[in-house]
């Protein structure tokens, strides 16, 4: 009996997970807030260093990821238009610059994060209480919708409080702020659980009868025809292209640079890619519970590196470098070994691959080669000249833009 149960559990965790995109992003955001709260106890006593720039910057990137992939903003759900995607990309760029270059945007990102939390929390709370009677409708339905009402209310109220704390430093002690962050992280986990339970309990057609479809100003804007996969690829492309451009003045010594912010952000973006798509540097996998857990572990490492510099630098550098090298080698081998051995033949009924498929394969091959070069520059600094590293990153970013275009096409 025990063997059968263990086998069943093992098979279950390897199956495709039904966790929605919104839920996995909320889980990573919850990890961010909860871990920040834990670390703040040590930071406040001076036992750990702290980098506010990359902390605020990482938060902006996670929020931008939600905006670009789902149209979910700190002020509520909006139609996912090109205007909204562009705003998300600009916000992500601001967050990335704050992660890469410390001391340049500190006040700007602090105020931006404070406004998003404070004003966004108020907007969401007002929508919950008054927009189409959301709270009044949900609270009357026994079960998970009542939990969802409570979870939303708690999250929105604490969001407003943290927005005030961010905008007006010193109104609370570090100990009190840490407690708010811990409660915030737990409440986000609770909200993620509620959203997942609602998705399982209520089919989409039932939800429409419970809550009317949203409308408004942005409904008149054209929806973006951008699926999840190219949206994530665009985010990674923006990150690498921007990093490559910034490395030129950084290598000249005209700008400071935070390797911890860079490595932490790269690791969190990798984690988002794993948890939302099942895509890893080693290839595509089922978006199983195992992959999601691994992604959350990666996110935790990246978040830690962004908040507390100098502790995981070497570990993340070797990890990201090794994954890029192994992934590039494995994917190139899987693509070309069958061709070399003559096993990969065209189906006479379908004929040779189309030009789009050929472009897709060429782009992937170039990306694999660039990934290997980038991995080598991580593991063995100096092997590739510093002047070439930014060029490699820019090429990588441009290739990812091309890949996103091909995938969407």
């Amino acid at each position: 009996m025990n063997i059968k149960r263990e086998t069943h559990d093992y098979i279950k965790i390897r199956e495709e997970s039904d966790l929605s995109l919104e839920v996995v992003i909320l889980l990573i955001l919850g990890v961010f807030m909860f871990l920040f709260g834990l670390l703040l106890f040590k930071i406040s006593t001076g036992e750990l260093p702290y980098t506010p720039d990359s902390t605020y910057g990482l938060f902006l990137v996670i929020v931008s990821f939600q905006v670009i992939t789902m149209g979910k903003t700190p002020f509520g759900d909006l139609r996912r238009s090109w205007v909204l995607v562009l705003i998300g990309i600009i916000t992500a760029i601001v967050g990335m610059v704050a992660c890469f270059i410390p001391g340049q945007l500190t006040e700007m990102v602090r105020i931006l994060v404070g406004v998003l939390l404070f004003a966004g929390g108020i907007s969401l709370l007002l929508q919950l209480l008054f927009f189409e009677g959301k709270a009044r409708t949900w609270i009357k339905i026994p079960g998970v919708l009542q939990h969802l009402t409570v979870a939303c209310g708690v999250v929105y109220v604490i969001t407003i409080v943290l927005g005030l704390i961010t905008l007006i430093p010193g109104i609370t002690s570090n100990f009190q702020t840490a407690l708010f962050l811990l409660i915030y992280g737990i409440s986000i986990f609770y909200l993620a659980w509620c959203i997942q339970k609602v998705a399982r309990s209520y089919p989409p057609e039932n939800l429409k009868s419970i809550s009317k479809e949203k409308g408004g100003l942005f409904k008149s804007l054209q929806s973006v025809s951008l699926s999840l996969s190219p949206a994530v690829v665009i985010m990674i492309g923006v990150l690498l292209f921007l990093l490559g451009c910034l490395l030129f003045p950084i290598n000249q010594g005209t700008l400071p640079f935070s390797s911890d912010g860079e490595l932490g952000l790269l690791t969190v973006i990798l984690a988002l890619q794993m948890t939302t798509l099942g895509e890893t540097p080693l290839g595509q996998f089922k978006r199983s519970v195992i992959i999601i857990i691994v992604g959350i572990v990666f996110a935790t490492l990246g978040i830690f590196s962004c908040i507390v510099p100098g502790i995981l630098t070497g570990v993340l550098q070797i990890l990201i470098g090794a994954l890029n090298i192994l992934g590039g080698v494995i994917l190139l081998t899987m693509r070309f070994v069958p061709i070399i051995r003559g096993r990969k033949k065209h189906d006479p009924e379908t004929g040779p691959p189309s030009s789009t498929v050929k472009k897709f394969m060429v782009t992937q091959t170039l990306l694999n080669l660039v990934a290997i070069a980038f991995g080598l520059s991580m593991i063995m600094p100096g092997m590739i000249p510093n002047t070439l590293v930014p060029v490699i990153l820019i090429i990588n970013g441009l290739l990812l833009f091309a890949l996103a275009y091909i995938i969407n096409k």
Side-chain angles (χ1 to χ4, degrees):
M1 290 291 291
N2 289 336
I3 294 175
K4 286 184 179 179
R5 189 182 298 112
E6 288 174 5
T7 304
H8 173 75
D9 292 342
Y10 176 72
I11 293 171
K12 190 173 181 180
I13 64 174
R14 288 178 60 88
E15 292 175 350
E16 189 84 17
S17 172
D18 65 342
L19 289 179
S20 67
L21 174 61
E22 182 178 9
V23 169
V24 295
I25 295 176
L26 280 175
L27 289 176
I28 290 176
L29 187 60
V31 169
F32 174 87
M33 295 300 175
F34 190 81
L35 182 60
F36 187 18
L38 286 178
L39 293 173
L40 193 55
F41 289 115
K42 296 286 187 181
I43 292 169
S44 61
T45 61
E47 296 176 63
L48 288 175
Y50 171 52
T51 309
D53 301 74
S54 52
T55 304
Y56 293 135
L58 179 59
F59 175 80
L60 290 176
V61 171
I62 295 174
V63 169
S64 302
F65 190 87
Q66 278 189 308
V67 172
I68 294 168
T69 56
M70 296 186 296
K72 290 187 176 293
T73 77
F75 304 95
D77 295 355
L78 299 175
R79 183 167 288 273
R80 192 162 157 263
S81 66
W82 282 112
V83 173
L84 194 62
V85 170
L86 181 60
I87 292 171
I89 290 174
I90 292 171
T91 308
I93 290 172
V94 173
M96 290 172 187
V97 172
C99 286
F100 299 149
I101 305 175
Q104 304 297 307
L105 302 178
T106 309
E107 282 301 297
M108 176 184 171
V109 290
R110 180 185 65 80
I111 293 170
L112 180 57
V113 169
V115 169
L116 290 177
L117 288 171
F118 182 67
I122 292 174
S123 173
L124 292 171
L125 187 61
L126 291 175
Q127 289 176 52
L128 176 68
L129 296 175
F130 302 111
F131 182 70
E132 294 181 353
K134 265 187 185 179
R136 287 193 298 256
T137 304
W138 292 352
I139 206 71
K140 294 175 184 175
I141 303 173
V144 68
L145 285 177
Q146 291 180 340
H147 283 280
L148 180 62
T149 309
V150 173
C152 287
V154 172
V155 168
Y156 300 160
V157 168
I158 301 177
T159 300
I160 296 169
V161 173
L162 287 175
L164 274 175
I165 292 172
T166 307
L167 285 172
I168 313 172
I171 61 172
T172 58
S173 65
N174 286 333
F175 182 82
Q176 292 170 328
T177 304
L179 287 178
F180 275 119
L181 286 167
L182 290 176
I183 297 169
Y184 194 41
I186 293 169
S187 63
I188 290 174
F189 293 143
Y190 179 38
L191 177 60
W193 175 82
C194 291
I195 291 173
Q196 185 62 22
K197 288 288 287 184
V198 168
R200 288 173 178 171
S201 303
Y202 294 93
E205 57 271 16
N206 290 354
L207 282 176
K208 284 182 182 178
S209 63
I210 296 170
S211 180
K212 295 178 183 178
E213 187 180 353
K214 299 175 181 65
L217 173 64
F218 278 83
K219 193 167 184 178
S220 63
L221 297 177
Q222 184 180 2
S223 293
V224 59
S225 58
L226 187 67
S227 58
L228 175 60
S229 183
V232 176
V233 171
I234 286 173
M235 278 285 290
I236 303 170
V238 168
L239 186 150
L240 295 177
F241 183 83
L242 179 64
L243 178 59
C245 292
L246 290 174
L247 278 181
F248 286 111
I250 288 168
N251 288 339
Q252 296 296 319
T254 57
L255 283 177
F257 179 60
S258 171
S259 56
D260 296 284
E262 173 214 8
L263 294 169
L265 184 55
L266 284 170
T267 308
V268 172
I269 293 290
L270 174 60
L272 287 167
Q273 194 177 14
M274 292 171 66
T275 53
T276 57
L277 296 171
E279 290 184 5
T280 76
L282 304 180
Q284 177 80 40
F285 293 87
K286 278 185 180 179
R287 195 167 151 270
S288 63
V289 174
I290 294 175
I291 289 295
I292 290 174
I293 290 173
V294 172
I296 290 174
V297 171
F298 270 64
T300 304
L301 294 174
I303 292 164
F304 186 96
S305 180
C306 284
I307 298 172
V308 180
I311 295 179
L312 295 181
T313 314
V315 174
L316 291 186
Q317 193 166 337
I318 293 171
L319 179 63
I320 292 174
L323 286 174
N324 274 275
I325 294 170
L326 284 173
V329 171
I330 290 171
L331 294 174
L332 284 173
T333 303
M334 291 172 63
R335 189 174 301 121
F336 288 107
V337 166
I339 296 175
I340 294 171
R341 291 180 177 176
R343 294 177 185 172
K344 196 169 184 178
K345 298 179 181 179
H346 301 312
D347 188 339
E349 294 183 3
T350 60
S354 66
S355 60
T356 303
V357 174
K358 288 179 180 177
K359 289 176 183 176
F360 181 70
M361 291 186 66
V362 169
T363 305
Q364 281 191 317
T365 301
L366 292 173
L367 276 168
N368 298 148
L369 294 171
V370 172
I372 293 171
F374 178 61
L376 288 172
S377 71
M378 282 280 186
I379 289 184
M380 293 178 279
M383 179 179 179
I384 297 176
N386 287 337
T387 52
L388 284 182
V389 175
V391 175
I392 291 171
L393 289 170
I394 289 173
I395 292 172
N396 202 340
L398 293 174
L399 286 171
L400 285 170
F401 294 146
L403 182 64
Y405 173 77
I406 295 169
I407 292 173
N408 206 48
K409 189 175 179 181

